[in-house]
Amino acid sequence: MKSVKVPVLLLLTFAFAAVSAQAILLPPGTSGTPTGLAVPGGEVQLATTGVVPWTAPGAGGSGSADGTLEAAVYRNSSGFLDFVYQFINDPLSSAGISSTTGLSFAGFSTNVDYFTNGSALGGGFVDGTPGVFPGSVFRTALGGGSVVTYQFNVPNDNFDVNPGQTSAALVVRTDAVNFKQGTLGIIAGGTFTDVNVFGPASLVPEPTIFLPIGVGLIGFALLRRRQARA
């Protein structure tokens, strides 16, 4: 009996570990609480922005912030694309980063979370300041679920990415196989600033692909007309 129980327990342990390592499935109009996951094996970097500066000037005397951002797109072991974003709030900033908003994910499946060991990605990514990770994440219902927003100010502003801190590496795992320019918005000091990053893209056939098909249909129509006259 013992020889049966041990393999079963091991199987259940592995199954639980596999489930707990999954990012949050986020259909349009839903929200979730990120729990963090380790960088999975098989991630291949396709493109990176490198270090990009950003500035949020503040509004109504609520302070300003600036810093740097790193973004990259990876092909995972399943052949789909993961989009990763990480930013630093400069020590001289006078406002914290309360949320960050990525688009456009309309038409694609999104599984979202953050990496607990961002340095495992290589490049310019790091593990981030301990304890600095989003408290919630949601996806809009409008626009086909175009916008995915990570919120750090949950349950209050004490959980912002404050001056001198580095966020965890945020990841949006998709079912896309192509990418294009996307946008990441950073909300700090009461204002919103856009940074060019990467986003998923649908594969759209070139117009020339349809040319042989169109010529064939025209030829078929002319042949049918001649047969009808005969």
Side-chain angles (χ1 to χ4, degrees), residues 208-226:
T208 53
I209 294 177
F210 296 102
L211 184 58
I213 301 175
V215 171
L217 291 174
I218 293 171
F220 179 73
L222 291 175
L223 178 60
R224 290 294 302 271
R225 182 177 294 179
R226 288 175 182 174

mmCIF file of all heavy atoms in Angstrom, residues 208-226:
data_model
loop_
_atom_site.group_PDB
_atom_site.id
_atom_site.type_symbol
_atom_site.label_atom_id
_atom_site.label_comp_id
_atom_site.label_asym_id
_atom_site.label_seq_id
_atom_site.Cartn_x
_atom_site.Cartn_y
_atom_site.Cartn_z
ATOM 1 N N THR A 208 -0.572 41.296 -51.856
ATOM 2 C CA THR A 208 -0.130 40.506 -53.013
ATOM 3 C C THR A 208 -0.483 39.040 -52.875
ATOM 4 O O THR A 208 -0.552 38.319 -53.853
ATOM 5 C CB THR A 208 1.391 40.646 -53.185
ATOM 6 O OG1 THR A 208 2.035 40.331 -51.937
ATOM 7 C CG2 THR A 208 1.779 42.050 -53.612
ATOM 8 N N ILE A 209 -0.706 38.586 -51.647
ATOM 9 C CA ILE A 209 -1.079 37.189 -51.449
ATOM 10 C C ILE A 209 -2.421 36.894 -52.108
ATOM 11 O O ILE A 209 -2.669 35.801 -52.608
ATOM 12 C CB ILE A 209 -1.141 36.857 -49.939
ATOM 13 C CG1 ILE A 209 0.264 36.963 -49.330
ATOM 14 C CG2 ILE A 209 -1.738 35.486 -49.694
ATOM 15 C CD1 ILE A 209 0.305 36.733 -47.843
ATOM 16 N N PHE A 210 -3.303 37.905 -52.119
ATOM 17 C CA PHE A 210 -4.632 37.694 -52.671
ATOM 18 C C PHE A 210 -4.669 37.809 -54.189
ATOM 19 O O PHE A 210 -5.646 37.443 -54.814
ATOM 20 C CB PHE A 210 -5.617 38.695 -52.059
ATOM 21 C CG PHE A 210 -5.799 38.528 -50.579
ATOM 22 C CD1 PHE A 210 -5.165 39.392 -49.698
ATOM 23 C CD2 PHE A 210 -6.594 37.518 -50.067
ATOM 24 C CE1 PHE A 210 -5.325 39.247 -48.333
ATOM 25 C CE2 PHE A 210 -6.757 37.369 -48.698
ATOM 26 C CZ PHE A 210 -6.114 38.235 -47.835
ATOM 27 N N LEU A 211 -3.580 38.334 -54.798
ATOM 28 C CA LEU A 211 -3.575 38.561 -56.238
ATOM 29 C C LEU A 211 -3.764 37.274 -57.038
ATOM 30 O O LEU A 211 -4.637 37.214 -57.914
ATOM 31 C CB LEU A 211 -2.279 39.272 -56.649
ATOM 32 C CG LEU A 211 -2.162 39.656 -58.118
ATOM 33 C CD1 LEU A 211 -3.321 40.578 -58.516
ATOM 34 C CD2 LEU A 211 -0.830 40.350 -58.398
ATOM 35 N N PRO A 212 -3.003 36.199 -56.792
ATOM 36 C CA PRO A 212 -3.219 34.973 -57.567
ATOM 37 C C PRO A 212 -4.621 34.408 -57.409
ATOM 38 O O PRO A 212 -5.207 33.882 -58.354
ATOM 39 C CB PRO A 212 -2.162 34.017 -56.995
ATOM 40 C CG PRO A 212 -1.132 34.908 -56.390
ATOM 41 C CD PRO A 212 -1.891 36.085 -55.875
ATOM 42 N N ILE A 213 -5.184 34.536 -56.184
ATOM 43 C CA ILE A 213 -6.535 34.038 -55.955
ATOM 44 C C ILE A 213 -7.531 34.829 -56.789
ATOM 45 O O ILE A 213 -8.413 34.273 -57.447
ATOM 46 C CB ILE A 213 -6.901 34.135 -54.457
ATOM 47 C CG1 ILE A 213 -5.900 33.310 -53.632
ATOM 48 C CG2 ILE A 213 -8.328 33.678 -54.212
ATOM 49 C CD1 ILE A 213 -6.098 33.437 -52.149
ATOM 50 N N GLY A 214 -7.383 36.174 -56.812
ATOM 51 C CA GLY A 214 -8.291 37.025 -57.577
ATOM 52 C C GLY A 214 -8.209 36.739 -59.062
ATOM 53 O O GLY A 214 -9.234 36.649 -59.748
ATOM 54 N N VAL A 215 -6.997 36.577 -59.596
ATOM 55 C CA VAL A 215 -6.830 36.273 -61.013
ATOM 56 C C VAL A 215 -7.481 34.947 -61.360
ATOM 57 O O VAL A 215 -8.140 34.780 -62.387
ATOM 58 C CB VAL A 215 -5.331 36.256 -61.378
ATOM 59 C CG1 VAL A 215 -5.132 35.724 -62.786
ATOM 60 C CG2 VAL A 215 -4.737 37.650 -61.252
ATOM 61 N N GLY A 216 -7.348 33.974 -60.466
ATOM 62 C CA GLY A 216 -7.947 32.663 -60.715
ATOM 63 C C GLY A 216 -9.462 32.734 -60.771
ATOM 64 O O GLY A 216 -10.096 32.117 -61.627
ATOM 65 N N LEU A 217 -10.057 33.518 -59.861
ATOM 66 C CA LEU A 217 -11.517 33.643 -59.853
ATOM 67 C C LEU A 217 -12.019 34.346 -61.107
ATOM 68 O O LEU A 217 -13.054 33.974 -61.671
ATOM 69 C CB LEU A 217 -11.958 34.415 -58.600
ATOM 70 C CG LEU A 217 -11.777 33.687 -57.265
ATOM 71 C CD1 LEU A 217 -12.112 34.617 -56.118
ATOM 72 C CD2 LEU A 217 -12.637 32.432 -57.221
ATOM 73 N N ILE A 218 -11.281 35.380 -61.578
ATOM 74 C CA ILE A 218 -11.675 36.078 -62.807
ATOM 75 C C ILE A 218 -11.625 35.132 -63.997
ATOM 76 O O ILE A 218 -12.526 35.088 -64.837
ATOM 77 C CB ILE A 218 -10.769 37.302 -63.037
ATOM 78 C CG1 ILE A 218 -11.023 38.345 -61.939
ATOM 79 C CG2 ILE A 218 -11.012 37.909 -64.407
ATOM 80 C CD1 ILE A 218 -10.028 39.487 -61.965
ATOM 81 N N GLY A 219 -10.546 34.346 -64.061
ATOM 82 C CA GLY A 219 -10.406 33.386 -65.158
ATOM 83 C C GLY A 219 -11.512 32.351 -65.154
ATOM 84 O O GLY A 219 -12.047 31.989 -66.215
ATOM 85 N N PHE A 220 -11.888 31.886 -63.959
ATOM 86 C CA PHE A 220 -12.955 30.898 -63.847
ATOM 87 C C PHE A 220 -14.281 31.494 -64.319
ATOM 88 O O PHE A 220 -15.060 30.858 -65.030
ATOM 89 C CB PHE A 220 -13.062 30.440 -62.390
ATOM 90 C CG PHE A 220 -14.152 29.434 -62.155
ATOM 91 C CD1 PHE A 220 -14.007 28.125 -62.588
ATOM 92 C CD2 PHE A 220 -15.329 29.803 -61.510
ATOM 93 C CE1 PHE A 220 -15.020 27.205 -62.359
ATOM 94 C CE2 PHE A 220 -16.331 28.891 -61.292
ATOM 95 C CZ PHE A 220 -16.174 27.578 -61.716
ATOM 96 N N ALA A 221 -14.548 32.761 -63.976
ATOM 97 C CA ALA A 221 -15.791 33.417 -64.383
ATOM 98 C C ALA A 221 -15.852 33.574 -65.895
ATOM 99 O O ALA A 221 -16.901 33.353 -66.520
ATOM 100 C CB ALA A 221 -15.901 34.782 -63.701
ATOM 101 N N LEU A 222 -14.746 33.948 -66.531
ATOM 102 C CA LEU A 222 -14.714 34.095 -67.988
ATOM 103 C C LEU A 222 -14.939 32.751 -68.677
ATOM 104 O O LEU A 222 -15.647 32.664 -69.692
ATOM 105 C CB LEU A 222 -13.378 34.685 -68.423
ATOM 106 C CG LEU A 222 -13.140 36.155 -68.034
ATOM 107 C CD1 LEU A 222 -11.734 36.575 -68.414
ATOM 108 C CD2 LEU A 222 -14.171 37.068 -68.738
ATOM 109 N N LEU A 223 -14.362 31.695 -68.122
ATOM 110 C CA LEU A 223 -14.550 30.364 -68.714
ATOM 111 C C LEU A 223 -16.000 29.951 -68.636
ATOM 112 O O LEU A 223 -16.560 29.418 -69.623
ATOM 113 C CB LEU A 223 -13.667 29.356 -67.963
ATOM 114 C CG LEU A 223 -13.768 27.896 -68.407
ATOM 115 C CD1 LEU A 223 -13.365 27.760 -69.880
ATOM 116 C CD2 LEU A 223 -12.936 26.983 -67.545
ATOM 117 N N ARG A 224 -16.674 30.176 -67.500
ATOM 118 C CA ARG A 224 -18.078 29.815 -67.354
ATOM 119 C C ARG A 224 -18.936 30.605 -68.348
ATOM 120 O O ARG A 224 -19.884 30.075 -68.934
ATOM 121 C CB ARG A 224 -18.546 30.085 -65.925
ATOM 122 C CG ARG A 224 -17.965 29.146 -64.885
ATOM 123 C CD ARG A 224 -18.446 27.708 -65.095
ATOM 124 N NE ARG A 224 -19.892 27.632 -65.047
ATOM 125 C CZ ARG A 224 -20.586 27.429 -63.910
ATOM 126 N NH1 ARG A 224 -19.941 27.272 -62.778
ATOM 127 N NH2 ARG A 224 -21.891 27.370 -63.925
ATOM 128 N N ARG A 225 -18.601 31.895 -68.600
ATOM 129 C CA ARG A 225 -19.372 32.730 -69.531
ATOM 130 C C ARG A 225 -19.259 32.178 -70.948
ATOM 131 O O ARG A 225 -20.223 32.110 -71.688
ATOM 132 C CB ARG A 225 -18.880 34.170 -69.459
ATOM 133 C CG ARG A 225 -19.667 35.106 -70.368
ATOM 134 C CD ARG A 225 -19.207 36.538 -70.221
ATOM 135 N NE ARG A 225 -19.513 37.037 -68.873
ATOM 136 C CZ ARG A 225 -19.201 38.265 -68.473
ATOM 137 N NH1 ARG A 225 -18.584 39.100 -69.290
ATOM 138 N NH2 ARG A 225 -19.537 38.660 -67.263
ATOM 139 N N ARG A 226 -18.039 31.785 -71.349
ATOM 140 C CA ARG A 226 -17.849 31.238 -72.684
ATOM 141 C C ARG A 226 -18.612 29.923 -72.874
ATOM 142 O O ARG A 226 -19.200 29.656 -73.910
ATOM 143 C CB ARG A 226 -16.367 31.015 -72.944
ATOM 144 C CG ARG A 226 -15.578 32.334 -73.137
ATOM 145 C CD ARG A 226 -14.108 32.057 -73.274
ATOM 146 N NE ARG A 226 -13.358 33.295 -73.419
ATOM 147 C CZ ARG A 226 -12.025 33.359 -73.452
ATOM 148 N NH1 ARG A 226 -11.321 32.227 -73.320
ATOM 149 N NH2 ARG A 226 -11.421 34.514 -73.600
#
